Amino acid sequence: MHALASLSNGAETPHIVRYQQAWIEDERLFIVMELCSHSLEAALAAGPPMAPNEMFSLCRQMLMALEVRTTRVCV
């Protein structure tokens, strides 16, 4: 939660979904994030085709996020 808040303290960027607020209720953490106007799929479909190095970078970032997620769930 603190990491999300620190990312949102910087300059506005279209590439980071903004953190709004968070609270704990019934022993659950609720995090409110910015509402995006379109999905990643729609943005990729509307834009020009990605170069191979851009595709590699995007896939790598998503896999790294999945690795962190699965590591925390399995532990």
Side-chain angles (χ1 to χ4, degrees), residues 21-70:
Q21 64 178 331
W23 70 93
I24 296 175
E25 183 178 312
D26 297 328
E27 298 182 16
R28 293 183 181 170
L29 175 63
F30 291 85
I31 300 174
V32 179
M33 303 293 291
E34 168 185 22
L35 177 62
C36 297
S37 60
H38 54 274
S39 68
L40 174 60
E41 180 180 20
L44 292 173
M50 295 176 78
N53 63 331
E54 292 174 314
M55 284 187 264
F56 174 78
S57 177
L58 177 64
C59 290
R60 182 174 180 271
Q61 291 174 37
M62 289 189 292
L63 289 171
M64 287 171 52
L66 287 172
E67 178 182 32
V68 169
R69 172 75 175 134
T70 56

